[in-house]
Amino acid sequence: MDRFTTLTGVAAPMPLVNIDTDMIIPKQFLKTIKRTGLGKNLFDEMRYESDGTEKPDFVLNQPAYRNAEIIVAGDNFGCGSSREHAPWALLDFGIRCVVSTSFADIFYNNCFKNGILPITLPQEQVDRLMEDARRGSNARITVDLEAQTVSASEGEVFHFEIDPFRKHCLLNGLDDIGLTLENAGDIDAYEAKTRMSRPWA
């Protein structure tokens, strides 16, 4: 998992509330167990017509937001069914951070496990960032995980809270496997001791 330290990028405004996981990655794309390749299907029903052509009004199809790395979203982002494919699709598209007033718990937890930073801020601060994001590619938002701040393009700075353990994992690029491997020395020592004391095991 890639480390998350600081990020300065274009933010796509998505003010719709209750964007659920089926909207993020529709169920017909859940057949794969690979984390890559899902970016092209991110928000599939919102991005494409039935014949596969792009809907020009959808934000990620607009030239200013095609390379967005941040989403500023409406309330309750990631609600609905549990599917880890949702953060996989966001990450594969290039989204590393989502800002909202609230997230569904399972989606929120899955973001951290996949290198995406979900930031919760009060409504008035999200509204300010949403307004900033609507200015297009000229407005670049900066996220500093170490300082726990989000800075709007004109310098306003908002502070966010994050669990220290989750912060540690993102800063160091540690998913569940990475956390286990941090203790590889202790695990090897235990197994060696076990082989000596219980060779029959």
Side-chain angles (χ1 to χ4, degrees):
M1 189 171 82
D2 292 337
R3 297 184 181 200
F4 191 114
T5 53
T6 60
L7 171 65
T8 298
V10 172
M14 296 188 69
L16 185 66
V17 299
N18 300 320
I19 293 177
D20 63 28
T21 52
D22 192 54
M23 295 166 70
I24 296 170
I25 184 71
K27 58 184 178 299
Q28 63 266 33
F29 304 111
L30 305 184
K31 300 173 184 177
T32 181
I33 58 171
K34 295 181 180 179
R35 298 187 182 199
T36 57
L38 290 169
K40 64 181 180 294
N41 304 119
L42 178 69
F43 298 115
D44 189 84
E45 294 174 2
M46 301 168 74
R47 282 171 72 188
Y48 304 109
E49 303 286 358
S50 58
D51 63 0
T53 57
E54 290 186 351
K55 296 180 179 180
D57 291 339
F58 183 66
V59 62
L60 296 181
N61 290 336
Q62 296 171 19
Y65 301 107
R66 285 186 178 273
N67 296 312
E69 296 177 88
I70 301 166
I71 289 176
V72 182
D75 189 53
N76 198 29
F77 190 87
C79 58
S81 62
S82 168
R83 56 185 70 173
E84 200 167 11
H85 293 69
W88 291 356
L90 287 164
L91 190 63
D92 193 61
F93 181 87
I95 302 298
R96 293 296 312 276
C97 178
V98 182
V99 181
S100 180
T101 53
S102 70
F103 296 88
D105 289 342
I106 295 175
F107 175 82
Y108 184 80
N109 292 330
N110 282 338
C111 280
F112 287 104
K113 293 181 179 182
N114 289 281
I116 297 174
L117 174 60
I119 295 175
T120 304
L121 290 173
Q123 185 67 63
E124 60 272 17
Q125 295 181 8
V126 172
D127 290 345
R128 176 64 192 91
L129 292 171
M130 190 78 71
E131 178 185 334
D132 201 27
R134 287 192 175 106
R135 297 171 57 200
S137 56
N138 291 327
R140 299 173 69 82
I141 290 173
T142 297
V143 178
D144 185 330
L145 178 55
E146 183 64 55
Q148 297 179 209
T149 58
V150 181
S151 301
S153 61
E154 294 184 347
E156 290 177 90
V157 178
F158 308 116
H159 183 272
F160 63 89
E161 298 297 327
I162 184 172
D163 175 79
F165 174 72
R166 287 171 166 161
K167 178 178 179 179
H168 167 79
C169 290
L170 279 180
L171 286 172
N172 292 281
L174 297 172
D175 56 13
D176 289 345
I177 294 173
L179 284 167
T180 301
L181 291 176
E182 278 197 316
N183 299 304
D186 292 337
I187 293 169
D188 290 344
Y190 173 80
E191 289 179 344
K193 180 180 178 181
T194 299
R195 283 194 296 270
M196 293 291 291
S197 62
R198 298 190 302 157
W200 62 87

